[in-house]
Amino acid sequence: MIAVAIAVAGASSQVRVDAAESSVVAVVNADPISRDALATATLERYGVDVLDTLVNQHLIMQECKRRGIVVTNEDVRAEIVRVAKKFALSVDSYLQLLREERDITPEQYSNEIIWPMLALRSLVSDQVEVTQDEFNRAFVAQYGEAVKCRMIMISDQAKANQVYSQAKADPQSFTKLAKEYSEDETSASVGGLIPPIRRYMGDSRLEEAAFSLAEGDVSPMIQIGDQWVFMQSVRRMPASQPSPQALPIIKEQINDRIRDEKMKGAASELFAKLQKDAQVVKVLKDPVAEKQYPGVAAIINGQQLTIASVAAKCVKRHGEAVLEGEINRKLLTQALKKAGKTVSKQQIDEEIGRAAVSYGYVRDNGTADVEAWMEAVLSQGQTTRELYIEDSVWPSVALKTLVEDNVSLSSQDIQHGFASAFGPRAEVLAVVLSDQRTAQKVWELARDNPTDEFFGQLAGQYSIEPTSASNFGKVPPIRKFGGQASIEKEAFAMKPGELSGIIATGDKYIIMRSQGFTSPVVDDIEAVRGELERDLLEKKINIAMGLKFDELKQGAEIDNFFVATKDEPRVATRPDEARQQ
C-alpha cells in the first residue's frame, strides 16, 4: 500500500499566521491595507466555496489517516510530471498553461486536484483489478476489425422515415442524402462519413448494426436519445496486428488505461460515501452557529476547521484579485474625499435601477423591475446584495459622481449622435485583406470587372473577414460617426456602383463597392431629442469615467507588497492541513 503521512488538524490546532502574514499588504497614497483586512474581504467573497473544498480535503485526510495511507510530496510531483508528459509538455509549460487557460495556480493544482485524486486512488487501489475479459474487449476496441460507414442523423421521426425510404430505395444516393438532410454537421459535410466503428467502443446497437451490413447496405433505423440514425456500410477494415516487439508496451498501456478508468469510478463512489457518512457542521455564514462556535468555520467528524485557516486559504487563492479591488476602492474613496463628494443611498438605488433597465428588467409601465433584477443577480449564489453593491454598484456610482459635473453635451454632439443613430447608412460590399500586395491585386481585379457579382466572388475568395467572405462581400450598413472615420469617409463619398480606394486601418486593408444608401429612420431630431440626449450623455459619462479611473491609477503611489512577495512553488506540496504533526 502506498504510504503517505497525513495528519489532520485537531480541534485545538489552528493555522498560525507569522509576522509577515499579519503585516501590511499594500499602501495606496500613504493609506495602508492590512493583511487582516484582505483576509476579511476574501473570506466574505469566497469563504463558502473555499470551505467546501477544505471540508472535502479533510474527509479524505481523515480516511487516509484511519487506514494508514500516505501520499507524499514526491508522489504529487511524479503525477504532475506524468500528466505533463501525456500532453508532450514540460512541467513548467504545463503549469503555466493551467494558469493561463484555467486560472489554476501550481499550488491549487497540487493540493486541490492532484493530491485528492492520488489519495482517493490509494484508498481504492486494492479494490481495482483488470480482468482478462476487460483487456480483450479493450484490445478489440483499439485494434480489432472495423467497419467504415456513412451515417444520417435526423431528430424528426417523420422526416427520418422519409429520408430512410429514399436511402433504402437508392443506396447510391446515401452520400447526397447525408449532405442534404443529416443534422450531424461534422459528418454531413463529408457525405455522412464517420470514424470507423469497432466493437466495444460505444453503443452496442450501432456496432451490431454496422457489423451485420454487407458493403453498400443500409442499416435499420435506430433511435439514439432523441435522434433517429441509420448507416450505410462503405467497407470492412481488417483487424490490426501489432508487432510482437510492441505488444508488451501495448498490453501495459491498455491495462493502465482500464485501471485508471476503474479507479476513477471507485474513487468517485468512495468519495460520495465519505460525504454521505460524514458528520459535518458548517458554521461559516450561519449566525446562530457562529455564536455557538466562535472562530470555527466547520466541524468535520468532531474535528474543528478554523475560520483563520479558511481565510488563509482564501487569501492564497483569491488574494491578488481581491486586493486589486481593495486598492481601487481606496483610490475612489480618497478621490471622493478630496473632491468633497459622497455616494448616497439614492444614487446607489438609481444605479441599480439603471442596470435593471439596461438588462431588460422592466415592468409594464416602463419602470425598472429592481426586485427581478436583484433576484437574477443573486440567483447564481456567487454573491450577496451587499457584495454586489460594494463590488459593482458603488465603484460605478463613485466614478460617475467624480466626473458628472464636468460632462456636458454640445450641439455638435447631438447632431453627430442623431446622424449616427437615425441618419442614412451606406450599404457596401467589402473585401478585408491582411496585406497590401494582395489588396492591390484584388483592387485591380475589381476595377477591371466592375459588377457586384464579381466583387462578391472576390470577397468569397480573398476576404479574411468571415461575414464578408461568407456573404459575397455583404456587410452591415455603415453609419456616420460610428468610430471608423476613414471607412465612413470613403463609404459616404462614393456613389452607387463606385469602387473605393484601398483603406488601411490597423493591420488590415479594406476595399469597398457602394450599393447606395438607406433612408433616414427619423427626419425630425426633436422627436427623439430626449432619448438621444440621455443616451449620448451616458456614453460621454462612461468615457469620462474610464479616463478618470486611469488618471487616478497613474497619479497614485501604490505599493503592492502582496504581489511583490508572492512566491508560489512550481510544484506545490500536499494540502497545508495535511502537514505531519
Side-chain angles (χ1 to χ4, degrees):
M1 187 176 290
I2 299 176
V4 173
I6 297 197
V8 181
S12 61
S13 59
Q14 298 183 4
V15 172
R16 299 185 181 278
V17 181
D18 60 27
E21 289 184 332
S22 63
S23 62
V24 171
V25 291
V27 178
V28 184
N29 294 325
D31 191 359
I33 299 174
S34 69
R35 181 172 287 272
D36 286 344
L38 177 60
T40 299
T42 54
L43 190 66
E44 287 177 350
R45 289 158 178 79
Y46 300 103
V48 172
D49 290 341
V50 170
L51 177 61
D52 287 341
T53 299
L54 292 178
V55 167
N56 291 337
Q57 283 182 350
H58 272 68
L59 291 175
I60 298 171
M61 291 175 199
Q62 289 173 348
E63 186 66 11
C64 285
K65 184 179 182 181
R66 187 180 73 83
R67 296 199 202 176
I69 289 178
V70 184
V71 177
T72 65
N73 297 340
E74 289 69 28
D75 295 328
V76 172
R77 292 190 181 95
E79 178 64 13
I80 293 175
V81 170
R82 188 185 73 82
V83 175
K85 283 183 177 179
K86 284 176 59 178
F87 294 98
L89 294 171
S90 68
V91 171
D92 286 346
S93 298
Y94 178 61
L95 293 176
Q96 182 178 355
L97 183 68
L98 285 173
R99 184 152 202 169
E100 292 175 352
E101 299 294 329
R102 296 173 57 189
D103 195 27
I104 296 176
T105 67
E107 182 177 12
Q108 185 181 349
Y109 182 61
S110 299
N111 291 347
E112 299 176 18
I113 297 176
I114 296 299
W115 184 88
M117 178 192 70
L118 291 178
L120 284 168
R121 289 186 180 183
S122 298
L123 288 167
V124 301
S125 61
D126 58 347
Q127 306 170 27
V128 175
E129 181 182 349
V130 180
T131 67
Q132 186 62 46
D133 183 58
E134 288 170 335
F135 173 83
N136 291 342
R137 285 171 173 262
F139 187 87
V140 170
Q142 188 168 343
Y143 295 101
E145 183 184 13
V147 183
K148 187 72 173 176
C149 292
R150 298 183 188 274
M151 178 189 74
I152 294 176
M153 177 184 291
I154 300 174
S155 57
D156 181 82
Q157 186 178 6
K159 183 178 178 182
N161 285 330
Q162 179 184 355
V163 178
Y164 178 70
S165 297
Q166 295 179 52
K168 288 289 286 185
D170 181 13
Q172 291 185 349
S173 69
F174 199 99
T175 299
K176 180 175 179 295
L177 292 171
K179 289 180 179 178
E180 187 172 353
Y181 294 107
S182 183
E183 296 172 11
D184 180 62
E185 296 179 357
T186 302
S187 62
S189 64
V190 288
L193 282 174
I194 58 176
I197 295 175
R198 288 187 170 86
R199 296 189 187 277
Y200 313 122
M201 286 184 63
D203 193 302
S204 60
R205 294 173 298 167
L206 289 178
E207 293 167 9
E208 292 301 324
F211 279 94
S212 69
L213 297 175
E215 187 173 314
D217 283 355
V218 176
S219 75
M221 194 155 57
I222 303 169
Q223 184 177 8
I224 307 291
D226 58 355
Q227 301 284 339
W228 295 89
V229 175
F230 51 96
M231 301 176 293
Q232 181 184 46
S233 173
V234 176
R235 68 177 186 276
R236 287 287 183 105
M237 301 171 63
S240 303
Q241 296 296 332
S243 68
Q245 295 82 2
L247 203 55
I249 297 176
I250 290 171
K251 286 183 177 179
E252 182 180 354
Q253 290 174 340
I254 291 176
N255 278 318
D256 286 347
R257 184 173 69 247
I258 297 171
R259 189 177 295 107
D260 282 349
E261 290 172 357
K262 293 185 75 172
M263 275 192 173
K264 286 178 183 176
S268 296
E269 290 178 8
L270 173 62
F271 184 57
K273 185 177 186 302
L274 292 177
Q275 289 181 310
K276 180 181 177 181
D277 296 344
Q279 294 181 349
V280 178
V281 178
K282 291 187 179 179
V283 179
L284 188 67
K285 301 291 185 181
D286 184 335
V288 176
E290 285 179 342
K291 289 181 180 179
Q292 186 177 357
Y293 303 104
V296 176
I299 303 172
I300 309 155
N301 293 327
Q303 294 181 335
Q304 292 184 352
L305 179 63
T306 66
I307 287 179
S309 64
V310 178
K313 180 65 71 173
C314 287
V315 170
K316 275 188 176 181
R317 189 189 296 182
H318 302 289
E320 188 173 346
V322 173
L323 181 57
E324 183 67 22
E326 295 301 300
I327 289 172
N328 294 342
R329 203 178 333 275
K330 284 276 188 189
L331 288 173
L332 292 172
T333 302
Q334 293 168 355
L336 287 169
K337 183 177 181 180
K338 184 177 180 180
K341 295 177 179 289
T342 59
V343 172
S344 67
K345 183 181 183 302
Q346 180 181 346
Q347 290 173 296
I348 294 290
D349 292 341
E350 289 173 353
E351 178 65 15
I352 294 174
R354 187 201 62 77
V357 171
S358 69
Y359 282 95
Y361 288 83
V362 183
R363 296 190 180 92
D364 293 338
N365 62 5
T367 60
D369 191 344
V370 173
E371 292 76 17
W373 166 239
M374 289 305 305
E375 183 179 347
V377 170
L378 303 179
S379 62
Q380 298 179 355
Q382 297 175 345
T383 189
T384 63
R385 181 184 179 92
E386 293 73 21
L387 288 177
Y388 166 66
I389 291 173
E390 186 174 348
D391 292 344
S392 300
V393 181
W394 185 89
S396 179
V397 174
L399 272 172
K400 188 177 293 186
T401 300
L402 289 169
V403 304
E404 60 187 356
D405 291 344
N406 301 319
V407 177
S408 60
L409 290 176
S410 66
S411 58
Q412 185 182 65
D413 290 332
I414 296 172
Q415 290 295 330
H416 286 184
F418 179 72
S420 179
F422 302 104
R425 303 196 176 193
E427 294 191 298
V428 301
L429 302 177
V431 182
V432 183
L433 305 125
S434 59
D435 65 273
Q436 190 171 10
R437 178 175 295 181
T438 306
Q440 186 65 40
K441 172 185 173 181
V442 171
W443 184 87
E444 291 173 1
L445 290 170
R447 178 196 59 185
D448 295 340
N449 193 341
T451 65
D452 286 354
E453 182 180 2
F454 185 72
F455 193 93
Q457 293 173 0
L458 290 175
Q461 182 176 355
Y462 290 101
S463 184
I464 64 171
E465 199 279 316
T467 301
S468 66
S470 61
N471 292 312
F472 298 98
K474 192 67 177 176
V475 294
I478 297 170
R479 59 191 174 98
K480 288 184 176 180
F481 309 111
Q484 298 177 307
S486 58
I487 296 174
E488 294 163 18
K489 180 179 179 181
E490 192 82 13
F492 281 92
M494 291 187 294
K495 296 177 182 178
E498 284 189 348
L499 184 69
S500 75
I502 299 173
I503 307 164
T505 172
D507 59 348
K508 301 204 172 35
Y509 299 85
I510 300 173
I511 302 168
M512 297 184 295
R513 177 178 170 84
S514 176
Q515 290 191 305
F517 303 91
T518 65
S519 300
V521 178
V522 177
D523 292 318
D524 182 10
I525 191 172
E526 296 305 324
V528 294
R529 181 178 288 273
E531 176 188 352
L532 182 63
E533 289 183 351
R534 282 194 302 273
D535 289 344
L536 292 175
L537 188 59
E538 183 174 346
K539 288 178 182 177
K540 288 197 74 171
I541 287 176
N542 286 337
I543 293 171
M545 288 164 62
L547 294 174
K548 182 64 176 180
F549 186 67
D550 290 342
E551 176 190 324
L552 293 175
K553 292 280 283 188
Q554 292 170 6
E557 292 185 10
I558 301 173
D559 293 312
N560 190 328
F561 304 118
F562 183 85
V563 174
T565 59
K566 195 171 184 182
D567 184 20
E568 293 178 326
R570 291 183 178 181
V571 178
T573 62
R574 58 188 182 272
D576 295 340
E577 292 78 5
R579 303 210 186 279
Q580 194 168 6
Q581 288 179 326

